[in-house]
Amino acid sequence: MKDSNHTILEVKNLKKYFPITKGVFSRVVNHVKAVDNISFYIKSGETLGLVGESGCGKTTVSRVVLRLTEPTAGSVFFEGLDIFSLKGDGLKKLRKDMQIIFQDPYSSLNPRLSVGNIIAEGIGAHNIARGREKKALVEGLLEKVGLSAGHYNRYPHEFSGGQRQRIAIARALSLNPKLIICDEPVSALDVSIQAQILNLLAKLKEDFTLSYLFITHDLAVVEHVSDRIATMYLGEIAEIADTSEFYSNPLHPYTITLLSANPSPDKRQRKKAIILKGDVPSPIDPPAGCRFHTRCPVAEEICQTEWPEPKEFPNGHMVRCHLVSLSKPEPPIKLS
């Protein structure tokens, strides 16, 4: 059994800037600051939810962590190993331990391969099993995710969206990874199917002692699956807290506005939505000071000029906000 106490993933001061070029010679004139100096960790057996508006940099974080995109600066440590220093066989070995489930179950599966070959591709590449042993392993994975061994020779177009995502989950499990990044894995599915996939991911987490980085924009979904939740805005992490603390005592104005707009079936729990004014600033030229100050309903002068340092509380709650006091962690906006 995998150790459930140690930190499996640690991200330190990670940056990813995409160059903007111009002219015949492709001269770099500016950068899109997709991820800008973020830090977080995930413990073994833990799920960290990463939430935020579209375009805030969530998916870029996942791609950099997996070395699908190279970083601009910063470090990522997987079980204490600096993954940006790895090459060749060392990087290949790391791929085995870190997998991803993509958002779109229709475009993430190769339509020319059978389901069995899709799942078996990684098994063969890493020499885990051959021949009948490989086929038996794939059939077992199909049954583990709620499909049938009889689906082995069928093709992706013969399955529904929910079934395709189960195939993608089986593919991610095929190498017995320690960390799986779930990049909006249920956002393209019907609500009833979403619940089935979320319950499957929760069961697999227990069965395989998996750790998840769960990326989503759905606050109801992230509450259901996460141990801790981080809010991301314009390339930065604004707040991180345990799930219960995140929902009961949000501190950053951006987190508070997100939660105020979260629909609830219980009338007693419904909050008056806080409507943000203006658009999200461009990541090419983010505002000085606190990046949220251009839309924050309680921003003060200091928010416009000084970048807020992270404030960490004894219970692990972290927030970047000038208006939150370290001596008394109270939200600057009250939800009514």
Side-chain angles (χ1 to χ4, degrees), residues 181-253:
I181 295 178
C182 306
D183 188 4
E184 307 235 22
V186 298
S187 64
L189 306 177
D190 293 338
V191 174
S192 59
I193 306 301
Q194 285 184 12
Q196 294 176 18
I197 297 299
L198 291 174
N199 289 335
L200 173 63
L201 289 171
K203 183 178 185 303
L204 293 173
K205 178 186 173 185
E206 296 300 320
D207 292 348
F208 290 86
T209 319
L210 295 167
S211 304
Y212 292 143
L213 174 60
F214 197 97
I215 297 170
T216 183
H217 61 270
D218 191 325
L219 288 166
V221 166
V222 80
E223 181 180 16
H224 179 70
V225 300
S226 301
D227 299 297
R228 291 184 300 123
I229 301 174
T231 309
M232 196 166 178
Y233 182 81
L234 205 62
E236 293 185 342
I237 288 182
E239 184 167 6
I240 301 178
D242 288 343
T243 299
S244 58
E245 174 80 2
F246 184 89
Y247 284 89
S248 64
N249 187 37
L251 296 177
H252 198 283

Side-chain angles (χ1 to χ4, degrees), residues 4-272:
S4 60
N5 295 315
H6 71 286
T7 296
I8 192 167
L9 184 76
E10 186 174 12
V11 176
K12 292 184 176 180
N13 307 119
L14 186 65
K15 295 182 180 182
K16 178 58 185 178
Y17 296 172
F18 293 98
I20 300 172
T21 59
K22 187 177 181 180
V24 176
F25 299 103
S26 299
R27 181 170 56 91
V28 176
V29 295
N30 212 330
H31 291 85
V32 176
K33 297 175 181 177
V35 177
D36 201 6
N37 201 40
I38 71 167
S39 300
F40 63 85
Y41 67 87
I42 301 174
K43 289 189 175 182
S44 182
E46 180 184 47
T47 298
L48 175 67
L50 185 61
V51 300
E53 295 168 283
S54 296
C56 71
K58 304 187 300 295
T59 295
T60 302
V61 170
S62 71
R63 292 182 178 276
V64 176
V65 165
L66 289 172
R67 283 286 299 272
L68 300 178
T69 301
E70 293 301 313
T72 301
S75 305
V76 175
F77 296 92
F78 182 80
E79 294 192 317
L81 188 66
D82 182 0
I83 71 168
F84 297 146
S85 68
L86 298 177
K87 295 179 182 179
D89 290 341
L91 185 57
K92 183 179 179 181
K93 185 179 179 181
L94 177 75
R95 301 276 188 225
K96 204 170 149 294
D97 291 328
M98 301 169 69
Q99 291 292 301
I100 185 169
I101 301 166
F102 294 101
Q103 177 178 357
D104 186 356
Y106 291 90
S107 64
S108 64
L109 302 179
N110 189 337
R112 294 182 177 86
L113 294 181
S114 68
V115 166
N117 286 331
I118 287 172
I119 299 171
E121 196 170 15
I123 296 173
H126 288 270
N127 296 314
I128 295 173
R130 297 287 182 188
R132 291 182 180 178
E133 185 185 355
K134 180 169 71 173
K135 189 171 188 291
L137 182 57
V138 172
E139 289 174 343
L141 287 168
L142 284 169
E143 292 175 351
K144 197 76 177 176
V145 299
L147 296 174
S148 164
H151 291 142
Y152 187 98
N153 291 316
R154 292 172 63 179
Y155 285 81
H157 73 270
E158 301 178 68
F159 294 88
S160 67
Q163 289 174 319
R164 289 182 187 215
Q165 202 61 304
R166 290 176 187 270
I167 295 166
I169 292 169
R171 176 177 61 184
L173 287 173
S174 65
L175 300 179
N176 192 26
K178 298 175 182 179
L179 172 71
I180 296 180
I181 295 178
C182 306
D183 188 4
E184 307 235 22
V186 298
S187 64
L189 306 177
D190 293 338
V191 174
S192 59
I193 306 301
Q194 285 184 12
Q196 294 176 18
I197 297 299
L198 291 174
N199 289 335
L200 173 63
L201 289 171
K203 183 178 185 303
L204 293 173
K205 178 186 173 185
E206 296 300 320
D207 292 348
F208 290 86
T209 319
L210 295 167
S211 304
Y212 292 143
L213 174 60
F214 197 97
I215 297 170
T216 183
H217 61 270
D218 191 325
L219 288 166
V221 166
V222 80
E223 181 180 16
H224 179 70
V225 300
S226 301
D227 299 297
R228 291 184 300 123
I229 301 174
T231 309
M232 196 166 178
Y233 182 81
L234 205 62
E236 293 185 342
I237 288 182
E239 184 167 6
I240 301 178
D242 288 343
T243 299
S244 58
E245 174 80 2
F246 184 89
Y247 284 89
S248 64
N249 187 37
L251 296 177
H252 198 283
Y254 178 58
T255 305
I256 294 169
T257 56
L258 287 180
L259 290 173
S260 76
N262 192 35
S264 172
D266 189 341
K267 290 183 178 180
R268 295 168 297 178
Q269 295 182 2
R270 290 178 189 169
K271 310 290 192 295
K272 184 178 179 181

